[in-house]
Amino acid sequence: MDRILIRGGAPLRGQVHIRGSKNSTLPLMAACILAEAPCELHNVPCLHDVFTMDKLLSAMGMTIEFTGRYLTLDASDMGEPLAPYDLVRKMRASFFVLGPLLARYGQAKVSLPGGCAIGTRPVDIHLKGLEALGAHVSIEDGYVLAKGPLKGADITLDFPSVGATENLMMAATRADGVTRISNAAREPEIADLGHFLNSLGAQISGAGTDLITIVGVDELGGGQHTVIPDRVEAGTFLLAGLATHGDVTAQNANADHLSSFLNKLRGTGGEIEIHANRIRVAAPNGLRAVDVTTQPYPGFPTDLQAQMMAMLCVAEGASVIKETVFENRFMQVGELVRMGADIEVDSNAAVVRGVNNLRGAPVMASDLRASAALIVAGLSATKGETAIHRVYHIDRGYERIEERLSALGADIERIQD
Ligand code: EPZ
């Protein structure tokens, strides 16, 4: 398994091009199950999770070509609507195929995704919504068996779940009648999915707001779509720039998708400049502590909580970080403390007291965003070397991160074991 070595302390300077959003690409690929003609996706990131979704859809008979950042997907020869455990267990987002399979084929058998490092991650909201649409849902041997036909309905989500909103929106595109999803998740990736589905012939309004209305149609054709920029990747690189007291510009980033996050960065004393599709940050006068509470969009994103914590480890003062979206998303704390951070955790709150500097150390990646936090911490450490093990976690969501950080002046390399 590869590891990443970092000798920190160098201020990161320069521009980094932000890739297409992982959390938009994955549901967009699943949505192509609904299309009766070929689809094209542009600005697709080259990530392990995208390869896993490719493998799952191909195993079900979809014809996929991945050239550069350009995907063509043709579902016309898809066979059995079955998503097997050995593929779904690798990536929770595989569960997003349930809604489209059920809508297109009238039935589906999809493995339950199981939990992961950040939480048990149940799918009850997905299943309750499908039952509201008239599906018969049962669970047998770890698989969800769902049978249609689907009929439009009014659904209110217990929690604005991103995946449940996406699964139900896709299922409702072919339901008989009108579906309204209330308390829907409002993430930009959901608006992106709604735009794509409408380009295929769906009739969706309100995607990206908390009330989504879908008028069912008989058929969806092919189409093409350009994936929105990855707001979490952009935020990660900007935090690395601030944590190293550098000056970093994220190119092809959409500041509108990061409003709460950028407001928090302003609170730390970071200088933020926004031009069209570029975001520049610098911290000429150091960084101050701020309190952070993660919330569903448009609140502070849970996917940037760990990386923000890493930056606050070297800010002046004490920050309180509350994680309200997942029940176990402080996996980075133990490793940051090993690097000299001063962090105390009590339930879903962490108190981070800034220290003058972190020290490099051998650390273990545990999940995608906790791993990114360790990279931010390693880059800011002014003494020693940080060796991050199990970097496959990082490769799931960041493309060639060591090359792109090196281009910003980081002393970082990947060691292939
Ligand atoms: C999506 O996961 C993202 N993944 C996650 O990003 C992100 O952290 C999350 O949304 C929240 O923004 C993709 O888009 C591929 P949820 P998802 O359903 O859909 C609970 C990353 O790092 N819940 O909004 O799985 C759940 O346990 C990943 O890129 C239920 O209780 O998230 C969690 O506590 C990590 N029952 C909360 O809701 C359900 O049926 C939010 O989960 C569904 C969810």
Side-chain angles (χ1 to χ4, degrees):
M1 280 185 272
D2 294 358
R3 61 200 150 94
I4 283 182
L5 294 186
I6 302 172
R7 285 165 287 275
L12 298 191
R13 296 189 193 291
Q15 302 191 351
V16 58
H17 186 90
I18 300 305
R19 306 295 185 204
S21 163
K22 166 180 83 80
N23 290 351
S24 196
T25 298
L26 298 174
L28 287 170
M29 289 173 76
C32 293
I33 292 170
L34 293 160
E36 309 272 352
C39 294
E40 296 171 9
L41 296 179
H42 301 252
N43 192 35
V44 171
C46 298
L47 300 171
H48 282 208
D49 274 7
V50 174
F51 306 150
T52 302
M53 183 62 88
D54 180 332
K55 205 168 165 190
L56 171 64
L57 294 172
S58 302
M60 288 193 276
M62 190 181 283
T63 308
I64 299 179
E65 282 186 33
F66 199 166
T67 320
R69 297 181 190 291
Y70 171 78
L71 264 183
T72 54
L73 306 99
D74 183 351
S76 44
D77 295 333
M78 279 190 76
E80 196 186 353
L82 162 68
Y85 171 69
D86 66 324
L87 285 173
V88 176
R89 71 180 173 81
K90 290 194 181 114
M91 180 185 66
R92 173 183 174 76
S94 309
F95 199 68
F96 296 170
V97 303
L98 176 60
L101 287 174
L102 185 55
R104 173 126 188 231
Y105 299 102
Q107 60 176 353
K109 181 177 178 183
V110 177
S111 168
L112 282 166
C116 73
I118 63 178
T120 53
R121 304 188 75 181
V123 290
D124 55 311
I125 302 173
H126 297 244
L127 303 184
K128 265 175 69 178
L130 291 176
E131 286 174 330
L133 289 172
H136 174 73
V137 177
S138 61
I139 292 180
E140 286 171 32
D141 308 328
Y143 279 79
V144 172
L145 307 176
K147 276 179 83 64
L150 299 181
K151 195 165 167 38
D154 287 348
I155 305 169
T156 299
L157 303 188
D158 293 343
F159 179 88
S161 153
V162 172
T165 302
E166 291 166 341
N167 238 335
L168 296 170
M169 188 163 75
M170 289 189 278
T173 54
R174 294 277 300 269
D176 176 16
V178 179
T179 298
R180 274 176 287 275
I181 305 173
S182 306
N183 196 28
R186 297 183 274 172
E187 273 70 3
E189 293 76 27
I190 292 166
D192 204 32
L193 178 61
H195 292 150
F196 175 58
L197 289 168
N198 282 343
S199 75
L200 304 182
Q203 290 183 29
I204 299 172
S205 55
T209 74
D210 62 357
L211 174 62
I212 303 175
T213 303
I214 305 108
V215 179
V217 296
D218 294 335
E219 187 177 289
L220 293 179
Q224 57 178 307
H225 185 79
T226 298
V227 180
I228 57 172
D230 193 315
R231 59 194 169 100
V232 179
E233 176 180 271
T236 304
F237 278 107
L238 295 175
L239 285 165
L242 290 174
T244 58
H245 303 294
D247 186 325
V248 168
T249 298
Q251 271 188 323
N252 188 43
N254 186 332
D256 294 342
H257 295 166
L258 285 165
S259 305
S260 298
F261 168 72
L262 293 174
N263 285 339
K264 272 300 162 190
L265 293 193
R266 289 189 183 91
T268 67
E271 278 180 8
I272 317 283
E273 277 177 32
I274 296 169
H275 310 274
N277 64 348
R278 284 182 298 130
I279 307 171
R280 175 177 164 266
V281 297
N285 308 312
L287 295 161
R288 293 191 300 272
V290 288
D291 293 342
V292 176
T293 299
T294 65
Q295 298 286 353
Y297 194 89
F300 188 98
T302 174
D303 291 347
L304 283 170
Q305 175 261 109
Q307 304 92 307
M308 185 77 179
M309 180 186 283
M311 189 267 277
L312 291 172
C313 286
V314 292
E316 191 182 334
S319 305
V320 178
I321 298 177
K322 286 196 184 108
E323 173 56 60
T324 71
V325 177
F326 286 103
E327 69 262 32
N328 184 34
R329 206 167 194 181
F330 285 151
M331 302 290 283
Q332 69 279 1
V333 169
E335 299 304 283
L336 292 173
V337 168
R338 295 182 62 246
M339 296 176 72
D342 179 349
I343 307 172
E344 283 174 39
V345 172
D346 177 7
S347 176
N348 72 333
V351 178
V352 182
R353 291 182 179 81
V355 296
N356 290 332
N357 49 58
L358 296 178
R359 293 182 309 279
V363 290
M364 190 70 77
S366 56
D367 62 87
L368 171 55
R369 306 306 178 181
S371 317
L374 298 179
I375 287 187
V376 171
L379 292 168
S380 79
T382 52
K383 297 185 180 72
E385 178 181 83
T386 299
I388 302 175
H389 299 264
R390 297 187 182 171
V391 293
Y392 58 84
H393 288 293
I394 297 169
D395 294 334
R396 291 190 51 179
Y398 296 92
E399 196 181 309
R400 297 182 296 105
I401 195 166
E402 73 278 4
E403 291 173 25
R404 297 159 74 198
L405 286 169
S406 178
L408 293 172
D411 181 350
I412 182 171
E413 61 179 320
R414 178 185 291 255
I415 308 292
Q416 279 165 347
D417 284 345

